[in-house]
Amino acid sequence: MGIENFPEQLRAAIQQGFLAREFEAGLNARLGFRAVADREIFPNAIGETLTKTRRSLKAPVIEPLLATGNTNFDNGLSPSGWSIEQYTLSINQYGDTIDLNMVTTGIGIASQFLANAQTNGMQAMQSLDRLARNALFGGVPGGVGGYLGGNTRVTVSADSDTYGIAVDDIRGFQSMIVAGQVRPVAGGPGMTVTVGGGVYTLVDAIPDNRSRSTAPGGVSGELRFSTEVSAADGRAGNAVIASTAPLVLRPNGKRTTADLSPADGDTLGIQHVLAGVASLRRNNVPMIDGAYNCYLDDLQLLSLFRDADFKYLYRGAYGSEEYRSGQIIELLGVRFVPTTEAPQQASLGGGPVHRALLLGQGALVEGDCACTGQSDIPDAERALVEMVDGVAMVTREPLDRLKQIIAQSWYWIGGFALPTDMTADASIIPTATNAYLKRGVVIESLGTDATGYGP
């Protein structure tokens, strides 16, 4: 496509790179969940799934070799292998467009042209950031659930001992890892789950036809067990936690989201963040540029600023730009990143529920399709395409009958995946937890409003 096909007042903006700069200004407007992702080039086509394999380390050897066994060609040694675990990464195409009518826009066509580019950039940034957020909290198709998975509560009390219980969210209970591969719970060896005060073997997770989950993006349903769950354990409100669930922290040791109460002061404090840091360090999770990222909304950040321990630790920094503006703060190995994309949840009786997410390196993988922005059509005959941070911005010349409407579009081909770390068990890292997903910790709390009078 020749640039001569565009109006004269737009050619300078295109030739001097103004269009790409406006789009990039929107795309990189602020830090977000996507920033934590490790980027990989995905060679497959749209709609395909790539299976990635991770290998484990081998357990340390602490027993000496027997001198009497040091014979023959094997010197008394028996070969040992390493385990594997797999995760899937699926890609799809996302995009949107906006039209610019050169006649109705009139004299402001150039400024409107650039404004459209920036608006597209903002939309693309927020779309990818939300996809990354949803993957982190809720998981991806074919995975083991997100960092909220495997942690829910009973919603309907059992009248008597029963094989099935109704729960608020079945994510994290539908799949498990068997021989390194993600398999449905149904038909497998079963998953160990704690219901109330009892431990049971889960054999199936059945979603509702119409989800009634209160969790963001949750899927309500029924969990079925190999033995009967006692009526006492199956009481409404009791916690249901998978043995392989990621860590979810709540103030005052609350077991479920519904237990959070303003009367108990269940707001975010620095000690909850430090407990999350301790869990990440127990699993030897690498930091991101020297710190763990903690994504939280502004009301949780406000609670943090009002926490006595936080004030004590940050003493002497009140004059810092970060403290004055309430922007990104680095403290005790944590980088606090305020975001408006943190998932919100309506009150369950104690006030709206807020969720911070503490993450280390490798918690999320982004797959960018290699064919984004590529075309077999010669450059002189195709639309103007600018690639910015893996996103294609496409500007098409007027093709309507009156040659008046320019199309400004963007698209991205890719997907997100949550790699598991099941093989990093206690034999490799003595302090490791049993969770499939070890590189993140969710911290649930009530918020503090701007007046300081509670949630």
Side-chain angles (χ1 to χ4, degrees), residues 276-289:
V277 170
S279 176
L280 295 181
R281 287 176 173 165
R282 287 178 63 202
N283 288 300
N284 200 27
V285 177
M287 291 182 169
I288 304 168
D289 296 328

PDB file of all heavy atoms in Angstrom, residues 276-289:
ATOM      1  N   GLY A 276       3.498 -14.152  52.711  1.00  0.00           N
ATOM      2  CA  GLY A 276       3.536 -14.589  51.325  1.00  0.00           C
ATOM      3  C   GLY A 276       4.951 -14.676  50.796  1.00  0.00           C
ATOM      4  O   GLY A 276       5.308 -15.613  50.070  1.00  0.00           O
ATOM      5  N   VAL A 277       5.777 -13.701  51.154  1.00  0.00           N
ATOM      6  CA  VAL A 277       7.189 -13.722  50.754  1.00  0.00           C
ATOM      7  C   VAL A 277       7.884 -14.961  51.314  1.00  0.00           C
ATOM      8  O   VAL A 277       8.675 -15.623  50.625  1.00  0.00           O
ATOM      9  CB  VAL A 277       7.901 -12.438  51.229  1.00  0.00           C
ATOM     10  CG1 VAL A 277       9.409 -12.558  51.036  1.00  0.00           C
ATOM     11  CG2 VAL A 277       7.371 -11.232  50.471  1.00  0.00           C
ATOM     12  N   ALA A 278       7.590 -15.293  52.570  1.00  0.00           N
ATOM     13  CA  ALA A 278       8.196 -16.475  53.181  1.00  0.00           C
ATOM     14  C   ALA A 278       7.831 -17.735  52.413  1.00  0.00           C
ATOM     15  O   ALA A 278       8.670 -18.622  52.214  1.00  0.00           O
ATOM     16  CB  ALA A 278       7.752 -16.591  54.639  1.00  0.00           C
ATOM     17  N   SER A 279       6.574 -17.814  51.954  1.00  0.00           N
ATOM     18  CA  SER A 279       6.153 -18.989  51.180  1.00  0.00           C
ATOM     19  C   SER A 279       6.897 -19.069  49.851  1.00  0.00           C
ATOM     20  O   SER A 279       7.346 -20.148  49.444  1.00  0.00           O
ATOM     21  CB  SER A 279       4.643 -18.927  50.930  1.00  0.00           C
ATOM     22  OG  SER A 279       4.227 -20.004  50.117  1.00  0.00           O
ATOM     23  N   LEU A 280       7.041 -17.940  49.170  1.00  0.00           N
ATOM     24  CA  LEU A 280       7.777 -17.941  47.903  1.00  0.00           C
ATOM     25  C   LEU A 280       9.234 -18.338  48.123  1.00  0.00           C
ATOM     26  O   LEU A 280       9.810 -19.103  47.337  1.00  0.00           O
ATOM     27  CB  LEU A 280       7.698 -16.562  47.251  1.00  0.00           C
ATOM     28  CG  LEU A 280       6.305 -16.087  46.808  1.00  0.00           C
ATOM     29  CD1 LEU A 280       6.386 -14.713  46.147  1.00  0.00           C
ATOM     30  CD2 LEU A 280       5.660 -17.085  45.862  1.00  0.00           C
ATOM     31  N   ARG A 281       9.825 -17.845  49.192  1.00  0.00           N
ATOM     32  CA  ARG A 281      11.226 -18.184  49.469  1.00  0.00           C
ATOM     33  C   ARG A 281      11.376 -19.636  49.890  1.00  0.00           C
ATOM     34  O   ARG A 281      12.397 -20.268  49.594  1.00  0.00           O
ATOM     35  CB  ARG A 281      11.770 -17.240  50.541  1.00  0.00           C
ATOM     36  CG  ARG A 281      12.009 -15.827  50.013  1.00  0.00           C
ATOM     37  CD  ARG A 281      12.462 -14.868  51.086  1.00  0.00           C
ATOM     38  NE  ARG A 281      12.835 -13.581  50.502  1.00  0.00           N
ATOM     39  CZ  ARG A 281      12.998 -12.466  51.190  1.00  0.00           C
ATOM     40  NH1 ARG A 281      12.817 -12.470  52.509  1.00  0.00           N
ATOM     41  NH2 ARG A 281      13.335 -11.343  50.592  1.00  0.00           N
ATOM     42  N   ARG A 282      10.391 -20.169  50.583  1.00  0.00           N
ATOM     43  CA  ARG A 282      10.443 -21.594  50.936  1.00  0.00           C
ATOM     44  C   ARG A 282      10.472 -22.458  49.690  1.00  0.00           C
ATOM     45  O   ARG A 282      11.065 -23.544  49.684  1.00  0.00           O
ATOM     46  CB  ARG A 282       9.231 -21.973  51.793  1.00  0.00           C
ATOM     47  CG  ARG A 282       9.269 -21.453  53.220  1.00  0.00           C
ATOM     48  CD  ARG A 282       7.995 -21.855  53.945  1.00  0.00           C
ATOM     49  NE  ARG A 282       7.870 -23.301  54.045  1.00  0.00           N
ATOM     50  CZ  ARG A 282       6.713 -23.938  54.225  1.00  0.00           C
ATOM     51  NH1 ARG A 282       5.579 -23.252  54.297  1.00  0.00           N
ATOM     52  NH2 ARG A 282       6.685 -25.247  54.335  1.00  0.00           N
ATOM     53  N   ASN A 283       9.812 -21.997  48.624  1.00  0.00           N
ATOM     54  CA  ASN A 283       9.805 -22.733  47.367  1.00  0.00           C
ATOM     55  C   ASN A 283      10.934 -22.301  46.431  1.00  0.00           C
ATOM     56  O   ASN A 283      10.984 -22.743  45.286  1.00  0.00           O
ATOM     57  CB  ASN A 283       8.458 -22.549  46.664  1.00  0.00           C
ATOM     58  CG  ASN A 283       7.340 -23.300  47.360  1.00  0.00           C
ATOM     59  OD1 ASN A 283       7.388 -24.517  47.498  1.00  0.00           O
ATOM     60  ND2 ASN A 283       6.324 -22.577  47.820  1.00  0.00           N
ATOM     61  N   ASN A 284      11.827 -21.433  46.929  1.00  0.00           N
ATOM     62  CA  ASN A 284      12.977 -20.960  46.154  1.00  0.00           C
ATOM     63  C   ASN A 284      12.549 -20.317  44.838  1.00  0.00           C
ATOM     64  O   ASN A 284      13.164 -20.531  43.784  1.00  0.00           O
ATOM     65  CB  ASN A 284      13.958 -22.104  45.873  1.00  0.00           C
ATOM     66  CG  ASN A 284      15.341 -21.586  45.512  1.00  0.00           C
ATOM     67  OD1 ASN A 284      15.739 -20.507  45.917  1.00  0.00           O
ATOM     68  ND2 ASN A 284      16.078 -22.375  44.734  1.00  0.00           N
ATOM     69  N   VAL A 285      11.477 -19.512  44.890  1.00  0.00           N
ATOM     70  CA  VAL A 285      10.980 -18.822  43.699  1.00  0.00           C
ATOM     71  C   VAL A 285      11.879 -17.618  43.406  1.00  0.00           C
ATOM     72  O   VAL A 285      12.115 -16.796  44.294  1.00  0.00           O
ATOM     73  CB  VAL A 285       9.525 -18.359  43.903  1.00  0.00           C
ATOM     74  CG1 VAL A 285       9.031 -17.568  42.690  1.00  0.00           C
ATOM     75  CG2 VAL A 285       8.616 -19.565  44.158  1.00  0.00           C
ATOM     76  N   PRO A 286      12.387 -17.493  42.180  1.00  0.00           N
ATOM     77  CA  PRO A 286      13.259 -16.348  41.858  1.00  0.00           C
ATOM     78  C   PRO A 286      12.493 -15.028  41.912  1.00  0.00           C
ATOM     79  O   PRO A 286      11.276 -14.983  41.658  1.00  0.00           O
ATOM     80  CB  PRO A 286      13.730 -16.645  40.425  1.00  0.00           C
ATOM     81  CG  PRO A 286      13.416 -18.076  40.179  1.00  0.00           C
ATOM     82  CD  PRO A 286      12.239 -18.415  41.034  1.00  0.00           C
ATOM     83  N   MET A 287      13.218 -13.956  42.240  1.00  0.00           N
ATOM     84  CA  MET A 287      12.621 -12.622  42.238  1.00  0.00           C
ATOM     85  C   MET A 287      12.573 -12.059  40.820  1.00  0.00           C
ATOM     86  O   MET A 287      13.216 -12.580  39.903  1.00  0.00           O
ATOM     87  CB  MET A 287      13.422 -11.685  43.146  1.00  0.00           C
ATOM     88  CG  MET A 287      13.312 -12.004  44.631  1.00  0.00           C
ATOM     89  SD  MET A 287      14.248 -10.817  45.633  1.00  0.00           S
ATOM     90  CE  MET A 287      13.662 -11.251  47.281  1.00  0.00           C
ATOM     91  N   ILE A 288      11.838 -10.975  40.672  1.00  0.00           N
ATOM     92  CA  ILE A 288      11.732 -10.263  39.395  1.00  0.00           C
ATOM     93  C   ILE A 288      12.536  -8.975  39.518  1.00  0.00           C
ATOM     94  O   ILE A 288      12.120  -8.047  40.221  1.00  0.00           O
ATOM     95  CB  ILE A 288      10.272  -9.942  39.043  1.00  0.00           C
ATOM     96  CG1 ILE A 288       9.432 -11.220  39.022  1.00  0.00           C
ATOM     97  CG2 ILE A 288      10.173  -9.213  37.709  1.00  0.00           C
ATOM     98  CD1 ILE A 288       7.940 -10.970  38.966  1.00  0.00           C
ATOM     99  N   ASP A 289      13.696  -8.931  38.898  1.00  0.00           N
ATOM    100  CA  ASP A 289      14.567  -7.754  38.987  1.00  0.00           C
ATOM    101  C   ASP A 289      14.819  -7.349  40.436  1.00  0.00           C
ATOM    102  O   ASP A 289      14.747  -6.173  40.802  1.00  0.00           O
ATOM    103  CB  ASP A 289      13.966  -6.570  38.217  1.00  0.00           C
ATOM    104  CG  ASP A 289      13.856  -6.851  36.724  1.00  0.00           C
ATOM    105  OD1 ASP A 289      14.723  -7.581  36.206  1.00  0.00           O
ATOM    106  OD2 ASP A 289      12.917  -6.353  36.098  1.00  0.00           O
TER     107      ASP A 289
END
